[in-house]
Amino acid sequence: MASKFVGQARRTSLVTTYGVGSLFPTESDSMMICGLDDWPEGPQVFEPRLAASLGVAEFRSPAAGRKAGDIPVVRFPEWAFCPDCRSLAPHWSLANDSRRCKACNAKVSPSRFIVCCENGHIEDFPYRSWVHQGEYVRAEGHDLRFTTRGKSSSLSDVIVECSCGQKRSMFGSFDFTALKDIKGCSGQRPWLPNAESESCSGALRTLQRGSSNAWFAETRSAISIPSVRSRARAFAARKFRDATPTADPVALASMFKPPEGCTADDVAAAILELRTPAASGERPSQQDLRAEEYRALVNGLTEGLGTDEFLCAKVDISSAQLPPVIAQVSRVSRLREVRALAGFSRVTPMTVESDKDQETRRAPLASADVRWLPALEVLGEGIFLRLDTGQLNAWSDSPFAVGRVRSLLEAQDQLSPQSMASGLDVSAKRLVLHSLAHALIDECSLTAGYPTASLRERLYTDGDQSGILIYTATADSAGSLGGLAALSDPHRFAAVLASALQRASWCTSDPVCLESGPSGVDGLNLAACHACLLLPETSCEGFNLVLDRGTLVGTTESAGAGLFSALASGGH
C-alpha cells in the first residue's frame, strides 16, 4: 500500500469517477483506490430510505483534507516499462524507489495493458504467457522488452520480445477469446490488498489501462422525501449512533425532544431499525424508492408542508396550450438527492434494473461487510411532468408503437444474456418518456442557460407510473439558480415543449437517423444520434439507450403516428 501522498481528487469524484477499485492516474504512475476497510470516515450523509434499500446503517461523504485522513491506494498495474531501454518487468525489479530504471536511470511508465473479467477481477496482462503461447516459464532467463516497429500505430507493430528469442506482437490480444488458451482469471482483487484471491472461471479480456470499461460505478440514488419515518431515522442516527447497543430505545428517545411531526415512539422505533438493518429479502427495492418519489411528486408538498430538502407544487395548466396527453406539470423548487456507491463492475456496466443474475457481478467495496457506504448529497431544483396514463397506454398499443418496440426486441434475440438489453425495460412507454426527457433537457439547457451536463433526468415508468423529473442536482458551480424551476410556468413550459418537439422533428443526420434500424450499444436505439437525442453520460440514467425520436414525432412512413406528432408539426 502506498505510504506517501500521490495526488488529489475532488470529494465527489471518489463516488462517481475514482471510487473503490478504479484506476487513479498520477503524473507519472497509476494507482488503484483501495477498499473501504482503510478509508477514513468522513461526514455523515442522512438518507434512511436509500440506506435501508442497500442494507447499510449509514452513508458517509469521503473525507476531505489531509487532516481528516487520506484515501489509501495501491500501485496498479504492477508491471512497468522503460521508454529508453524498452525493458518490461514488474516495477519492483525494473525501477528503484524513485521510479527510475535501474539499468538506464530513465523514468519508467506503468504498463499500457491490463486484463479484466466480468466478475470484477483485474490483473496485469500476462506478457510472458502471451509471448510463449501459453507455456509457463520462470522469470529467470526470460527478460522481456517492449518495442515498436514504428511503421504504424496498430497493435501489430507493438512487439513483446523475450531474451530467450521468442517474440510476439500484440495483434489479436483484444479479441474476446484471445486469452482463452493463454491464461484463465486468477480472481485477483488488488483494491483489497489484505483479501485472498477468489476462484473464478470468467474469461479474461484485454483492455487499455485508461479504458472507460475498466471500471463502471454502480451508483444508487434517492430523492429525499419528507416523512415521519425518515425524520425519525435521521434524528436517531444523529443523536444515538454511538449509544450502547443494549440501551433501552424508549429511554434513549425520551432524552431529547423529538423532531417536528414525530413522537418519542417514532424515535424509539427508528433506533430499533438502525440496530437491526432489514434482511436482504426485506429491503425496499429501487422500484419501491421510485414509487415513493413518484407519489410525492404527483401529490406535491407546498410551502406549509415542504422542507428545505423538498418543495413541489402543481402548476395550473388549464389555460396553457398543451396537448391533452400532458396531465400534470409541477414546479420542484427544492430537492435533495443522495448518490451512493454500492459497488462496481468491469467490462460491461450493470443497469439500474439489474436482475439477480447480474448482481452477482457486483464487485465488493470491502473485504468484509461494511456498515456504511460512500455517498454525496446535492441540492437542486427541477420540473416534474406527468403524462395521462390512459392516453399513453392507448398510444402504446397502436400498430406504430408496437412495431417500433418489436424492431428493438427482434434485434435483442441475437445478443448474449449479459448484454445491456438483459437489464433494461424495452417498451413503448419507456421509449417515448425517455426520448421526451432527452428532448426537454436539450431545450431547457438552451432556455435556462444551464450546461447540458448539469441537468439530469429521472424516469418513472413502472406499473401505472408515467412521469419525468428533469432537475439540476449537481455539486459543481452550476448550482441551482432557480432558472429551471421557473420554466414550469404553464405558458413558458408550453413554449419549451413545442420548441423541443419541433427540434426533434428534424436532425442534421436525417433521413439516415430517422429511417435507421436498431443502432447504438446492443442495438437498443432507433432514431437517436449525437446530433439529436444523445446526452452527456452524467445527464442520462439509462446509458443513452432505449431512445427513439420517431415515437415523439413519427417517421417518414408514419408522419402522424408519434405521440406528439401534431405539436411537432406546429399544431396543438
Side-chain angles (χ1 to χ4, degrees):
M1 186 175 293
S3 58
K4 62 180 181 180
F5 179 78
V6 297
Q8 291 180 322
R10 295 180 64 182
R11 174 184 284 180
T12 55
S13 297
L14 292 170
V15 175
T16 57
T17 308
Y18 299 123
V20 173
S22 68
L23 291 172
F24 180 76
T26 64
E27 183 178 354
S28 59
D29 211 340
S30 175
M31 299 292 176
M32 179 173 286
I33 307 296
C34 287
L36 299 179
D37 306 271
D38 299 313
W39 275 40
E41 292 191 354
Q44 193 170 4
V45 177
F46 298 100
E47 184 44 60
R49 295 167 55 248
L50 185 60
S53 175
L54 295 175
V56 295
E58 62 184 357
F59 299 117
R60 289 194 168 271
S61 177
R66 301 297 304 276
K67 292 182 179 180
D70 292 326
I71 304 300
V73 296
V74 294
R75 178 175 284 118
F76 186 88
E78 294 186 338
W79 279 63
F81 79 98
C82 175
D84 283 6
C85 67
R86 313 305 296 182
S87 296
L88 177 67
H91 69 85
W92 60 81
S93 63
L94 178 65
N96 56 29
D97 293 340
S98 300
R99 296 289 291 168
R100 292 194 171 275
C101 179
K102 295 178 181 178
C104 66
N105 202 40
K107 196 77 171 180
V108 302
S109 299
S111 167
R112 287 173 52 190
F113 305 106
I114 58 174
V115 292
C116 307
C117 81
E118 289 197 333
N119 295 322
H121 304 126
I122 187 170
E123 55 188 279
D124 284 89
F125 183 85
Y127 290 105
R128 289 197 179 95
S129 297
W130 178 257
V131 172
H132 296 90
Q133 306 289 335
E135 179 184 351
Y136 172 77
V137 295
R138 293 182 177 274
E140 295 81 7
H142 293 278
D143 298 326
L144 301 183
R145 298 181 72 248
F146 197 73
T147 62
T148 57
R149 291 195 180 104
K151 297 180 180 180
S152 71
S153 57
S154 67
L155 287 173
S156 59
D157 275 2
V158 178
I159 311 296
V160 181
E161 302 177 352
C162 182
S163 58
C164 71
Q166 293 275 68
K167 66 171 62 176
R168 186 178 184 183
S169 76
M170 294 295 291
F171 178 76
S173 60
F174 282 75
D175 295 346
F176 289 162
T177 59
L179 300 176
K180 180 179 179 181
D181 299 323
I182 301 296
K183 187 183 186 303
C185 179
S186 57
Q188 293 185 29
R189 300 179 292 174
W191 69 95
L192 303 176
N194 298 321
E196 298 291 334
S197 297
E198 294 182 319
S199 174
C200 181
S201 58
L204 289 175
R205 286 279 306 277
T206 304
L207 302 175
Q208 291 267 15
R209 171 168 46 88
S211 175
S212 61
N213 61 340
W215 188 82
F216 290 104
E218 187 200 351
T219 57
R220 298 294 178 89
S221 66
I223 292 176
S224 297
I225 303 299
S227 68
V228 171
R229 183 167 178 249
S230 64
R231 287 194 186 101
R233 280 183 62 97
F235 180 80
R238 282 196 304 269
K239 298 292 187 181
F240 309 113
R241 176 175 175 268
D242 298 323
T244 305
T246 57
D248 181 20
V250 176
L252 290 174
S254 64
M255 295 172 59
F256 297 94
K257 180 182 178 181
E260 185 178 356
C262 300
T263 65
D265 291 339
D266 295 328
V267 176
I271 295 173
L272 284 175
E273 287 185 25
L274 291 173
R275 289 179 178 176
T276 56
S280 58
E282 300 172 351
R283 297 175 187 170
S285 65
Q286 189 78 0
Q287 288 73 24
D288 295 332
L289 300 186
R290 288 295 177 97
E292 291 183 26
E293 295 173 8
Y294 184 72
R295 286 193 296 271
L297 290 166
V298 170
N299 296 331
L301 284 174
T302 58
E303 285 286 355
L305 301 174
T307 68
D308 291 338
E309 297 179 351
F310 188 80
L311 184 60
C312 175
K314 293 181 182 179
V315 174
D316 182 5
I317 59 175
S318 58
S319 61
Q321 293 182 315
L322 289 171
V325 72
I326 303 296
Q328 177 183 345
V329 176
S330 293
R331 177 184 294 108
V332 186
S333 302
R334 304 174 198 153
L335 65 83
R336 171 181 178 265
E337 183 191 27
V338 173
R339 302 173 198 157
L341 179 63
F344 64 89
S345 60
R346 305 194 192 275
V347 183
T348 56
M350 294 177 61
T351 61
V352 175
E353 298 92 347
S354 294
D355 56 30
K356 292 182 179 179
D357 291 335
Q358 279 188 307
E359 289 181 5
T360 61
R361 296 176 45 235
R362 181 191 294 129
L365 300 181
S367 57
D369 291 338
V370 292
R371 63 185 302 274
W372 66 278
L373 291 174
L376 58 95
E377 60 179 347
V378 286
L379 303 176
E381 52 160 334
I383 301 174
F384 174 70
L385 176 68
R386 180 173 64 86
L387 273 59
D388 182 88
T389 305
Q391 295 187 51
L392 181 58
N393 289 340
W395 174 86
S396 298
D397 293 333
S398 67
F400 172 76
V402 171
R404 301 298 281 182
V405 174
R406 184 189 302 119
S407 62
L408 286 179
L409 294 178
E410 288 175 352
Q412 311 315 312
D413 292 340
Q414 308 301 320
L415 299 175
S416 69
Q418 291 186 329
S419 71
M420 294 292 296
S422 64
L424 288 175
D425 170 26
V426 181
S427 64
K429 181 199 288 188
R430 179 81 178 194
L431 273 173
V432 73
L433 283 174
H434 197 190
S435 302
L436 178 60
H438 279 226
L440 285 173
I441 285 176
D442 267 335
E443 189 64 29
C444 288
S445 174
L446 293 172
T447 307
Y450 285 108
T452 304
S454 70
L455 300 181
R456 294 172 64 92
E457 69 178 4
R458 208 165 180 85
L459 304 179
Y460 301 92
T461 59
D462 289 338
D464 292 334
Q465 299 173 18
S466 55
I468 301 168
L469 174 65
I470 298 172
Y471 62 108
T472 64
T474 176
D476 64 14
S477 57
S480 178
L481 306 176
L484 182 60
L487 294 182
S488 62
D489 174 84
H491 300 289
R492 295 186 68 185
F493 182 77
V496 167
L497 178 64
S499 180
L501 293 170
Q502 288 164 16
R503 287 178 185 275
S505 65
W506 178 253
C507 170
T508 55
S509 297
D510 279 342
V512 175
C513 177
L514 193 59
E515 298 176 358
S516 65
S519 60
V521 178
D522 289 339
L524 281 166
N525 289 334
L526 286 173
C529 70
H530 286 285
C532 53
L533 282 190
L534 301 190
L535 295 175
E537 291 184 5
T538 54
S539 299
C540 177
E541 69 172 5
F543 304 101
N544 271 321
L545 301 177
V546 192
L547 292 166
D548 179 18
R549 188 163 48 92
T551 59
L552 297 176
V553 300
T555 61
T556 306
E557 296 79 10
S558 305
L563 184 60
F564 296 95
S565 290
L567 187 56
S569 61
H572 296 287

